[in-house]
Amino acid sequence: MSFDVRKYSALSPQEVRMQIRDGRVPYPTAGMCAGYAQANLVILSAAWADDFSEFARQNHAACPVLEVVRGTPRTHRMASDGDITRDIPRYRIYRSGVLAGEVDDVSPFWREDSVGFLIGCSFSFEEALIRAGISMRHIDRGCNVSMYKTNLQTRAVSAFRGAMVCSMRPMRPEQAKLAAEITARMPNVHGAPVHIGDPAQIGIADLSKPDYGDPVPLEPGEVPVFWPCGVTPQAALENARPELAVTHAPGYMFITDILNEALNAFLQRNPAL
């Protein structure tokens, strides 16, 4: 799905969340609300929440938790008026680890014992890379980022286990080095890349066939750069097989009211876990 993200880049997070809530933004959120952090989502029942919390702690690079939402689907830390069941353009429903469908509103699935986890997103470091002169091809092309299941394994916690999912951005080698230096300073939005170069070394046979998102081609002289991705919990859910789980659809995020440049300091003062 190709679209012009520029009409959303200068809007406030609240404005875009309200448009999403009204069903007017059926697009991936990369490049929207320039300067503001975005988040992945997992919603589970309380019976599964403690194990998932520990899984997130053990796999912080892929699953940096920004906020835990209990009682109601309303956020308190990442947005004053956010609703995690209605403010993401597209959600996924998993039943016993199997993807059962995608919808644009999961409020009917929120239960009294539901627990939501907002997880840091690599879209949040893209602003810093763009400022450094590294273009994001998926934004330029108006498509979703490429995401792949790799042979890198997460640390298992109870039933939660499986492959790390990585997002990929093509860059020239000197840009990749700079990108690694910049993102290493942003641990709450996945930090530094886990791999640069030959995708076969991390179990990816064909870059043109991502497991999630859209294919984003490399130009001559570029290398693929891979970061841990907040879609990793979806791979873990397939193995854990809770009766019901809700996630964001890959590339469709919750947009927070926290500036990217302020996120690390905020979380150091107010850790989510």
Side-chain angles (χ1 to χ4, degrees):
M1 178 183 294
S2 180
F3 73 104
D4 187 352
V5 74
R6 290 174 295 181
K7 65 185 292 188
Y8 303 102
S9 62
L11 297 180
S12 73
Q14 184 181 45
E15 289 174 311
V16 174
R17 287 197 304 270
M18 292 305 101
Q19 290 191 33
I20 292 171
R21 195 177 295 184
D22 291 341
R24 291 181 283 151
V25 186
Y27 309 118
T29 55
M32 294 185 184
C33 304
Y36 288 90
Q38 299 193 25
N40 306 274
L41 175 70
V42 173
I43 299 174
L44 293 161
S45 70
W48 292 84
D50 287 346
D51 282 347
F52 183 79
S53 292
E54 184 59 25
F55 177 80
R57 275 191 286 265
Q58 294 290 332
N59 297 281
H60 180 80
C63 310
V65 176
L66 309 183
E67 180 172 356
V68 180
V69 181
R70 299 177 186 269
T72 78
R74 293 285 182 167
T75 57
H76 303 288
R77 291 160 48 92
M78 291 294 107
S80 60
D81 66 340
D83 182 337
I84 61 173
T85 65
R86 296 191 292 160
D87 293 351
I88 291 175
R90 186 181 299 174
Y91 298 85
R92 285 187 158 187
I93 310 298
Y94 286 86
R95 295 190 181 276
S96 299
V98 177
L99 178 61
E102 294 189 346
V103 296
D104 60 8
D105 181 341
V106 293
S107 55
F109 296 92
W110 184 267
R111 300 170 177 174
E112 186 177 346
D113 71 337
S114 293
V115 182
F117 297 85
L118 287 173
I119 295 169
C121 172
S122 61
F123 289 171
S124 298
F125 64 56
E126 292 178 341
E127 175 198 19
L129 300 186
I130 292 169
R131 280 204 311 265
I134 305 171
S135 65
M136 298 290 101
R137 187 157 299 138
H138 58 287
I139 294 178
D140 295 342
R141 292 168 65 96
C143 67
N144 207 344
V145 71
S146 298
M147 293 160 275
Y148 306 85
K149 289 182 179 179
T150 71
N151 61 13
L152 305 172
Q153 294 298 301
T154 56
R155 293 181 179 178
V157 174
S158 187
F160 292 100
R161 65 190 67 231
M164 179 186 290
V165 176
C166 289
S167 60
M168 187 280 293
R169 292 158 182 82
M171 300 176 188
R172 299 192 305 274
E174 67 274 14
Q175 292 177 323
K177 182 175 183 295
L178 177 59
E181 294 171 355
I182 291 170
T183 56
R185 300 191 292 268
M186 306 176 77
N188 293 300
V189 290
H190 304 307
V194 293
H195 184 67
I196 299 173
D198 184 3
Q201 292 183 5
I202 57 171
I204 300 170
D206 188 346
L207 285 179
S208 70
K209 297 178 180 179
D211 295 291
Y212 313 92
D214 297 317
V216 178
L218 275 67
E219 301 293 343
E222 292 181 332
V223 294
V225 187
F226 298 91
W227 276 269
C229 178
V231 178
T232 297
Q234 297 185 28
L237 289 170
E238 293 172 3
N239 292 319
R241 301 180 181 178
E243 177 186 355
L244 175 68
V246 173
T247 73
H248 69 293
Y252 297 75
M253 305 298 171
F254 180 89
I255 303 174
T256 79
D257 289 340
I258 308 296
L259 288 167
N260 290 317
E261 62 187 17
L263 183 63
N264 284 335
F266 177 88
L267 290 168
Q268 287 173 359
R269 294 192 306 270
N270 308 281
L273 292 178

